[in-house]
Amino acid sequence: MLRFSGAETMMRQLVHLGVVLAFCAMPAVGQTADQQNPQSVKVEKGWAGTLDGTWNWRLPDTPNGLHPTQSWHATGSAPDGDIYVGGMDHKTNAALYRIDARAGTLRHVGDARSASEAAHNWLPGETAQKFHTRPLWHNGKIYVATMDRSDLNPGYLDRRGFHWYAYDPAHDSFTDLSASEPGGTAVPHGNLVTLASDSIHNVIYGAGVPTGAIYRYDVASGRTQDLGRPASYKQPYVYTGRVMWVDARGRLYFTASNWDEPAVHDHVHYYDPETGFGEEKDWLLKDGMALETGQCMEGGKWCVFGDDRGHVYRFDQDAHTWTYLGQVETGKKAGWDGVEFWLFAVAPGGKSVYVATSTSPRPSADTALYEFDLASGRTQRICALAELDPALAHSHVHTGYNAWDAQGRFYFASFGYSDDQSVLVTRIDPARLKTALGRRAETKGDTDAGK
């Protein structure tokens, strides 16, 4: 049996969100001109959450009419602390947004259709359902790629292959890089779900859906190479891990799942530019679950990763070791019919990681924020996500990993199952939030004592 994401299966049926923003004909204060669209783009200032240390924005519609209703693993950061978020409708188009962390403003910087139309590389009836890839900083630019379908079956052969896109902050431009590749796409057929940067060799790796193939994009030449996949993969389609990484030697590590082949996918695989594909058979994965989230520290010397069941691991580059640190304990069943974990933010200093539950495919308002201690393996519940702001009460999916600004605040995206909702982006200052929660507890205690 193939492994599917329950949330994504349900969300494919969503229709467009009907919230339309007003755009002015000429840029004004708080607005900026979009590179692919002559209409101006509204800058969102957002609003303060209910608890101190929190802030929220809604992803606005794009000038060409995209209503973003979802954001799958599409939140990332740049070295200057700016945050990038992908928004999509899972049907027609996907867009990239930028949060200026210093000014606290959010705006649209480009979308797949507009960029490809500008490059004369958008065919009639073509769609770009998602930027499922976490926005990747690589040598001065932000890169994303399209995933036009999620199903693990041969239907991907009926669509064009994926496009690479890059946002250049220096020129405020969003470009379809694949317009110059043969056929106007990176490969004839296939989609990307995961990216990793090798800045030394100036290449970007991508992991594909539905076959699990590994691709390598040479930034200098603008060409994509299909590297294939491990020979141990026997099934035609696999669930591709949503995070992968490159070590100091230039070796790429990745994971996948397929319940028909538990022994094949119960450990970490790698691709070495010198020797090709290989396996770290001692780097085991609990229940054979592919990795979904992660974050590397100290220039990649060590990393922390998690799957959607709450299992947490540590990779140490110098010792070349893989350590299981434990499972996030919430008191609730972990799995597609319980709670899943797609929010992952390793705290500055690397002593703990903030995670949050998502509920899918059965919507529930009972999603919460937790802190997992990396040394002890203990889990502490911080608060229900709805306590951060009433707008989060109807959001059941919370995604984003390794998205921190220079002020020590992390960001994540949230959305629900209703077609009249939009994607929310939330910023949390952990220290201020914990202080606010402590003060509230003291006030409640004083009130109860006075009764």
Side-chain angles (χ1 to χ4, degrees), residues 246-270:
V246 177
D247 69 13
R249 297 178 298 176
R251 178 176 286 184
L252 171 75
Y253 297 93
F254 58 93
T255 61
S257 295
N258 187 313
W259 289 352
D260 290 339
E261 300 177 310
V264 173
H265 301 287
D266 67 357
H267 55 276
V268 176
H269 286 72
Y270 67 81

Side-chain angles (χ1 to χ4, degrees), residues 86-100:
M88 59 219 70
D89 64 4
H90 215 305
K91 291 182 64 177
T92 65
N93 196 11
L96 184 67
Y97 299 82
R98 178 184 184 179
I99 296 176
D100 183 324

Side-chain angles (χ1 to χ4, degrees), residues 164-353:
W164 292 100
Y165 296 88
Y167 174 67
D168 184 345
H171 297 93
D172 193 22
S173 61
F174 187 75
T175 307
D176 180 352
L177 300 174
S178 294
S180 62
E181 296 199 76
T185 58
V187 294
H189 306 286
N191 310 273
L192 276 198
V193 70
T194 315
L195 300 181
S197 167
D198 181 347
S199 59
I200 296 176
H201 298 96
N202 198 23
V203 298
I204 299 173
Y205 290 99
V209 170
T211 64
I214 300 297
Y215 304 97
R216 180 171 58 195
Y217 179 71
D218 185 281
V219 176
S221 68
R223 290 293 182 265
T224 303
Q225 180 182 2
D226 183 346
L227 300 174
R229 65 180 198 165
S232 59
Y233 289 12
K234 302 303 181 184
Q235 294 291 334
Y237 312 117
V238 300
Y239 179 89
T240 305
R242 273 44 177 167
V243 64
M244 56 186 185
W245 71 104
V246 177
D247 69 13
R249 297 178 298 176
R251 178 176 286 184
L252 171 75
Y253 297 93
F254 58 93
T255 61
S257 295
N258 187 313
W259 289 352
D260 290 339
E261 300 177 310
V264 173
H265 301 287
D266 67 357
H267 55 276
V268 176
H269 286 72
Y270 67 81
Y271 173 81
D272 189 296
E274 301 296 329
T275 61
F277 289 103
E279 303 173 63
E280 295 284 1
K281 292 188 175 181
D282 294 332
W283 294 10
L284 297 177
L285 303 171
K286 293 291 183 178
D287 302 324
M289 302 300 297
L291 300 175
E292 296 275 338
T293 55
Q295 184 173 330
C296 291
M297 279 66 63
E298 298 180 29
K301 288 186 176 180
W302 63 282
C303 311
V304 181
F305 299 101
D307 64 18
D308 63 15
R309 299 302 189 262
H311 298 114
V312 182
Y313 307 86
R314 173 170 172 146
F315 162 77
D316 284 280
Q317 178 175 282
D318 292 342
H320 196 68
T321 57
W322 181 258
T323 307
Y324 176 60
L325 301 180
Q327 184 174 17
V328 179
E329 298 292 345
T330 66
K332 301 180 184 301
K333 178 183 177 181
W336 72 273
D337 57 347
V339 297
E340 295 180 290
F341 300 88
W342 294 316
L343 188 163
F344 196 88
V346 180
K351 295 183 178 180
S352 64
V353 57

